[in-house]
Amino acid sequence: MENPTKPTPEAGPASPDKPSDTPGQRGATRAQVEQAIRTSLLTGRFIPGKAVTLRGLASELGVSPMPVREVIQRLAAEHALVIKPNGRVQVPEMSSERFDEILKARLLLEPEVAAMALPHLSASDAAELLDIDLEIDRCLESGDAVGYMQLNHQFHFRMYQKSGSQILLPLVESLWLQFGPYMRMVYGRVGTANLVDWHKQSLKAIETRDATALRQAIASDISDGMGMLGRDCLPTL
Amino acid sequence: MENPTKPTPEAGPASPDKPSDTPGQRGATRAQVEQAIRTSLLTGRFIPGKAVTLRGLASELGVSPMPVREVIQRLAAEHALVIKPNGRVQVPEMSSERFDEILKARLLLEPEVAAMALPHLSASDAAELLDIDLEIDRCLESGDAVGYMQLNHQFHFRMYQKSGSQILLPLVESLWLQFGPYMRMVYGRVGTANLVDWHKQSLKAIETRDATALRQAIASDISDGMGMLGRDCLPTL
DNA sequence: TCGCACTAAATGTGATCACAACATATTGGA
DNA sequence: TCCAATATGTTGTGATCACATTTAGTGCGA
C-alpha cells in the first residue's frame, strides 16, 4: 500500500489535542461553529453582501469545511445567509421590502411572545432585565454600537425565553438573524443615540403585570428602533 | 502520477449517465432530496417519532449520504426534523403545547399574509383557487386524506404566494412542515369530514376585495381545522 | 428463566479528495 | 490602448473513508 495519501485522520469528533475539552459530544464542533457564526451575524461582524466562503470560515475557525457546510445550510434555511444560484454564499442584502416585512413580522410576533412570557417573569427576572438596560444606557452614551446590539438582544431574549415558547421563539430568532447585519451597518452610520427608552416602559409593565402595556411597549420599541433605521439609508443603498 | 487510488469518483454534481437531465445545476441533487423529504413531510409519509437515518434516506433516494446530511440540517433548522442529543434524527412528535403554539402562530401570521396577497389576487387566481377547492370537496367525500392535505396546502399557498412575501411566507411554511406529519396521522384516524368550508368564505372575500373578511375566513379555517384535530387525540398520545 | 456481559451491526461526525463551475488574473492580438 | 481569449486560482458539491458512539443482538452464567 505504501500509504499513498498520508491520511493522518486525526479522527474523532473532538480535537485530538484537547482530550479534556469536549469529551466526544455529538456535534460539538458543529455547535461551536454555529454559535460563532450566529454571534458574528447578530453583532454585525458580517456586512450585508459580504461573501462567505466555506474554506475561509473553516480555516478561520480551525475546523474542516465539513461542519461549516452543515451550519451554512442550517443558517441558509433560516434566511440568515443566502445561497446564490451559483452556489456562492453571502450575507443577505437588505431591501426596502425586506425591511418593511421584517418590521411587520416582528410587530406581529414579539409583543405576543412578550405577553406569553409575562406570567413567568419574576421580580428577579425584572431586576436582571433592569441591569441589562442600565448597561445599555451606558453603551448608548459611549456610542458602543456592538455592545448595544449584544445587550439589546439580551434584553429582548431574556424576556422572550421566559415564554417557554418552542415555536414562536425560533421564528423571532430567525428574524433577528436577518436584520442583525444590516442593523450593525446602519448603527455605525447614524449612531445609537436619541432612542426613546421603551425598555423602561416594558419593565414598568412587567411590574404592574399589565400584558397590554407590555405588548404596547415592545411594539413601540420595535417600531421606534427600526423606524429610525429604515428612514434614511435604505433608499440610498 | 500512477493514479494510486482509482476511486471511480463518478464525479460531478449531476448523474454522469444522464447528461440531459440536469446540466450541472449547482446543488441539483440537494434540491431534489430536499423536495422529496419536504413533500414526504407535508403529505404525512413520515410519521411523528419515526426515525430518519442518513444512509437509509440516501440509498432510498439513490444518492450519497452527503446531500442528505445537508438537507437534514436544513430541515432541522426549520424544526421540521429534530436532531436528538445523541445525533439521531427523527420526525418531531406533537405535544399539546406545541400544538397550541403552532395554532397561535398560524393565527398571527396567515391572516396577515392573506391580506397582503389580496391586492395581487386577480379573478383568474380566484378561479384557480375555486378549482382547487372543488377538488378538495371531492376528496372530502371520498375520504382521500392525502389528496385533501395536498390540495389544502395548495389552496393556502397559491393564495399566500401572491403576497410576494419573502419573510412571512417562509415562516408560515415552517409551521406547516411542523404540523404536517401530525395532521396526516390524525386525519387518518378521525377522517376529514364535517369541516365547515371556510375556503368558500375566503373566495367570497376575495371577490368583494374585503381584507377584513378574508382575514376572518382564514383565521376561522385555521381554528376550525386544527381545533377539530387538537380536541381528541393529543391527550391520548 | 432471567439478567448481564459481550459482540456485532448501524449511525452520525469529521476529514479528505476529485471534479465542474465560476471568478479573476494574464496574455495575446488588433 | 483596449478588448477578447486564455490560463490560473478559488469555491461549492458529491463521494468516500475512518472512527467514536450507540443500539441491537447473542450467548453465557447464575
Side-chain angles (χ1 to χ4, degrees), chain B residues 20-53:
Chain B
S20 64
D21 190 356
T22 50
Q25 277 272 37
R26 301 288 284 196
T29 309
R30 184 175 53 205
Q32 165 211 332
V33 169
E34 174 157 5
Q35 199 54 40
I37 301 182
R38 283 183 103 95
T39 59
S40 288
L41 246 20
L42 280 175
T43 63
R45 251 200 305 273
F46 289 168
I47 301 302
K50 172 193 175 77
V52 171
T53 64

Side-chain angles (χ1 to χ4, degrees), chain A residues 30 66 73 101 165-166, chain B residues 30 66 73 101 165-166:
Chain A
R30 183 175 53 204
M66 205 53 233
Q73 292 298 325
E101 262 198 75
S165 167
Q166 299 296 317
Chain B
R30 184 175 53 205
M66 205 54 235
Q73 292 297 325
E101 263 198 73
S165 167
Q166 299 296 318

Side-chain angles (χ1 to χ4, degrees), chain A residues 104-127:
Chain A
K104 175 180 287 191
R106 289 190 64 194
L107 287 173
L108 281 174
L109 296 179
E110 293 189 38
E112 190 63 30
V113 176
M116 287 171 66
L118 182 55
H120 308 109
L121 284 170
S122 67
S124 68
D125 293 325

Side-chain angles (χ1 to χ4, degrees), chain A:
Chain A
M1 267 312 181
E2 289 84 53
N3 195 0
T5 62
K6 175 64 168 52
T8 57
E10 300 281 1
S15 318
D17 52 353
K18 292 154 87 179
S20 63
D21 190 356
T22 49
Q25 277 269 40
R26 302 287 282 197
T29 309
R30 183 175 53 204
Q32 164 210 333
V33 169
E34 174 156 7
Q35 199 54 41
I37 301 182
R38 284 184 102 97
T39 60
S40 288
L41 246 22
L42 281 175
T43 62
R45 252 201 304 275
F46 289 169
I47 301 302
K50 172 194 175 78
V52 172
T53 64
L54 252 57
R55 292 171 175 84
L57 273 180
S59 69
E60 185 176 332
L61 296 172
V63 298
S64 92
M66 205 53 233
V68 180
R69 278 170 71 171
E70 295 185 329
V71 170
I72 282 181
Q73 292 298 325
R74 186 177 269 264
L75 292 173
E78 304 185 50
H79 304 90
L81 294 174
V82 288
I83 302 183
K84 309 206 73 172
N86 51 0
R88 299 298 178 88
V89 183
Q90 71 175 39
V91 183
E93 302 200 52
M94 189 56 69
S95 72
S96 186
E97 295 77 19
R98 262 176 68 88
F99 187 87
D100 289 342
E101 262 198 75
I102 294 178
L103 175 60
K104 175 180 287 191
R106 289 190 64 194
L107 287 173
L108 281 174
L109 296 179
E110 293 189 38
E112 190 63 30
V113 176
M116 287 171 66
L118 182 55
H120 308 109
L121 284 170
S122 67
S124 68
D125 293 325
E128 191 181 1
L129 291 177
L130 179 59
D131 284 345
I132 297 177
D133 195 43
L134 291 178
E135 210 165 339
I136 287 180
D137 291 340
R138 247 167 296 168
C139 289
L140 287 177
E141 288 178 12
S142 63
D144 179 4
V146 172
Y148 167 74
M149 288 183 62
Q150 284 179 330
L151 289 166
N152 188 47
H153 178 264
Q154 270 188 35
F155 182 89
H156 281 263
F157 280 83
R158 286 285 172 83
M159 185 192 305
Y160 298 160
Q161 272 166 4
K162 290 292 176 177
S163 71
S165 167
Q166 299 296 317
I167 307 289
L168 288 168
L169 196 53
L171 300 183
V172 175
E173 288 190 63
S174 169
L175 293 174
W176 279 66
L177 276 178
Q178 290 187 58
F179 74 80
Y182 170 70
M183 206 173 170
R184 171 70 187 90
M185 201 177 65
V186 176
Y187 278 172
R189 195 180 310 183
V190 306
T192 55
N194 66 39
L195 287 175
V196 183
D197 198 343
W198 293 105
H199 290 183
K200 298 284 194 301
Q201 300 287 332
S202 305
L203 289 172
K204 190 173 298 181
I206 292 173
E207 286 176 18
T208 60
R209 327 302 299 171
D210 187 340
T212 304
L214 181 57
R215 274 197 181 87
Q216 193 54 245
I218 294 292
S220 300
D221 184 49
I222 296 169
S223 298
D224 240 40
M226 297 194 78
M228 193 194 75
L229 267 52
R231 196 182 311 122
D232 44 6
C233 305
L234 260 178
T236 76
L237 284 181

Side-chain angles (χ1 to χ4, degrees), chain B residues 136 139-140 144-153 187 192 195:
Chain B
I136 287 180
C139 289
L140 286 177
D144 178 5
V146 173
Y148 167 75
M149 288 184 62
Q150 284 178 331
L151 289 166
N152 188 46
H153 178 265
Y187 278 170
T192 54
L195 286 174

